[in-house]
Amino acid sequence: MVEYMNDNPRYRKLTPTPARSHRFGVGCMVTHRTSSGGEPGHFRVERQLPDGGQGLQYRIRSERDGSERVVLESNLEKL
């Protein structure tokens, strides 16, 4: 006979984990900490991206030269 997850006592007490939410909203000003130790730049959050396996991601645009990049949430700090 087929055993279903709801019938198995092992799975009855499982609760779904809530989805993580982004800390920074679109339009928020942030600084990006680089791994090379250079001076952090000022950026504007353009778009929130889903978890790419390493954490939540953002597309940010530089206020200085307009360049864009995708960065992890752990590398950003709010201004």
Side-chain angles (χ1 to χ4, degrees):
M1 177 173 259
V2 176
E3 189 174 301
Y4 293 99
M5 287 180 67
N6 290 341
D7 294 337
N8 189 335
R10 176 179 176 188
Y11 298 107
R12 283 187 193 151
K13 294 184 181 181
L14 289 180
T15 56
T17 56
R20 291 181 28 201
S21 62
H22 290 82
R23 284 190 343 203
F24 309 107
V26 174
C28 183
M29 294 299 297
V30 295
T31 58
H32 176 240
R33 291 180 289 157
T34 60
S35 60
S36 61
E39 188 170 323
H42 299 284
F43 295 86
R44 179 178 307 278
V45 174
E46 295 292 317
R47 186 171 180 195
Q48 297 173 333
L49 302 172
D51 187 342
Q54 296 178 336
L56 296 174
Q57 299 178 351
Y58 296 85
R59 176 172 292 281
I60 58 175
R61 180 186 300 261
S62 171
E63 288 294 301
R64 185 174 43 154
D65 61 4
S67 63
E68 290 190 4
R69 60 184 75 176
V70 174
V71 297
L72 294 173
E73 184 175 77
S74 60
N75 293 334
L76 297 177
E77 292 179 356
K78 192 167 186 166
L79 280 177

